[in-house]
Amino acid sequence: GESVGLHLPTLSVQEGDNSIINCAYSNSASDYFIWYKQESGKGPQFIIDIRSNMDKRQGQRVTVLLNKTVKHLSLQIAATQPGDSAVYFCAEGGTSYGKLTFGQGTILTVHP
Amino acid sequence: ETGVTQTPRHLVMGMTNKKSLKCEQHLGHNAMYWYKQSAKKPLELMFVYSLEERVENNSVPSRFSPECPNSSHLFLHLHTLQPEDSALYLCASSPMAGASQETQYFGPGTRLLVL
């Protein structure tokens, strides 16, 4: 999960396994959540989003789950591939003019 | 690619230099953003522009000066920076900053090193 500190959380999986990346968000009034993927040398890339009136949303190989009761967000990646190796960020928004608040990120490493 | 380009991709400057970062979006969006990404810290929002007007200045030092001449272009003018300003500077755009639920699309960033 996300944490504040000097070290990013890390997740190491084997190719073909499913991955679950967690995020604890801070503002109970947030009503929009996004997952981004950032590969080395690139900017964050949009993966999937979810609004607070939903608790689950599926994309291609990815699923986002939202638990508003405990302010928890997760990203599930099915059949993880080496190309999925990156830093994954959650972001929360909806409470302020165009403002997204980002988590610190989780490093996902996929071993062939 | 996301439709947001940034130049230069890498920049090294001295503390007395003046330089500018450029961002261009080809998505027809009306809102643009500058973020700072330092090692092992969350993305920090610096500025938000909506329809070429600055709508947010997130307590950024005056040595960073943004400019948005039109809805497709955004600049970040830099002068008398400090070594701690070394970071990846990311530009993003979204359809309209006034909407509370909008995805922001990021450029590749400019890696800045201040000596």
Side-chain angles (χ1 to χ4, degrees):
Chain A
E2 303 283 350
S3 66
V4 176
L6 296 178
H7 302 286
L8 292 182
T10 59
L11 176 64
S12 209
V13 301
Q14 290 295 127
E15 182 177 2
D17 288 351
N18 296 333
S19 302
I20 300 176
I21 301 170
N22 297 302
C23 176
Y25 64 92
S26 57
N27 190 342
S28 57
S30 294
D31 61 2
Y32 180 57
F33 305 89
I34 309 174
W35 279 101
Y36 286 94
K37 170 188 179 183
Q38 187 173 21
E39 297 175 89
S40 180
K42 297 184 179 180
Q45 175 188 356
F46 170 81
I47 302 174
I48 192 168
D49 60 3
I50 188 168
R51 285 160 172 74
S52 60
N53 61 350
M54 304 172 69
D55 53 20
K56 180 179 179 179
R57 189 165 188 222
Q58 288 184 293
Q60 186 176 13
R61 281 201 308 119
V62 295
T63 301
V64 55
L65 298 177
L66 175 63
N67 185 330
K68 295 181 287 294
T69 303
V70 295
K71 293 190 290 185
H72 185 267
L73 193 67
S74 69
L75 176 70
Q76 300 178 359
I77 305 174
T80 317
Q81 303 167 1
D84 295 326
S85 295
V87 179
Y88 289 80
F89 297 93
C90 66
E92 59 184 293
T95 60
S96 183
Y97 196 85
K99 185 173 182 177
L100 294 176
T101 301
F102 286 81
Q104 194 158 350
T106 296
I107 301 172
L108 174 66
T109 303
V110 183
H111 301 283
Chain B
E1 298 303 322
T2 63
V4 181
T5 59
Q6 290 186 245
T7 55
R9 294 294 310 277
H10 301 274
L11 179 62
V12 180
M13 60 187 288
M15 289 189 283
T16 59
N17 291 159
K18 290 184 180 181
K19 297 287 184 184
S20 295
L21 309 184
K22 178 183 176 182
C23 176
E24 183 173 0
Q25 58 95 2
H26 310 274
L27 301 169
H29 290 169
N30 290 313
M32 297 186 78
Y33 310 77
W34 279 117
Y35 285 88
K36 176 183 179 182
Q37 187 175 36
S38 304
K40 299 175 182 174
K41 290 177 67 176
L43 279 163
E44 301 172 61
L45 179 65
M46 300 175 72
F47 301 104
V48 180
Y49 275 83
S50 178
L51 294 171
E52 301 144 48
E53 287 194 23
R54 192 189 311 179
V55 296
E56 176 119 2
N57 178 342
N58 225 26
S59 303
V60 179
S62 60
R63 58 186 183 269
F64 295 91
S65 175
E67 179 190 1
C68 189
N70 56 63
S71 59
S72 298
H73 294 87
L74 185 66
F75 295 88
L76 187 63
H77 304 300
L78 315 171
H79 63 98
T80 60
L81 294 193
Q82 304 298 311
E84 59 265 29
D85 297 321
S86 299
L88 181 68
Y89 288 85
L90 289 160
C91 173
S93 72
S94 67
M96 178 64 73
S100 63
Q101 298 179 346
E102 281 209 330
T103 300
Q104 294 176 20
Y105 295 89
F106 286 83
T110 294
R111 174 70 62 187
L112 174 67
L113 177 62
V114 182
L115 301 177

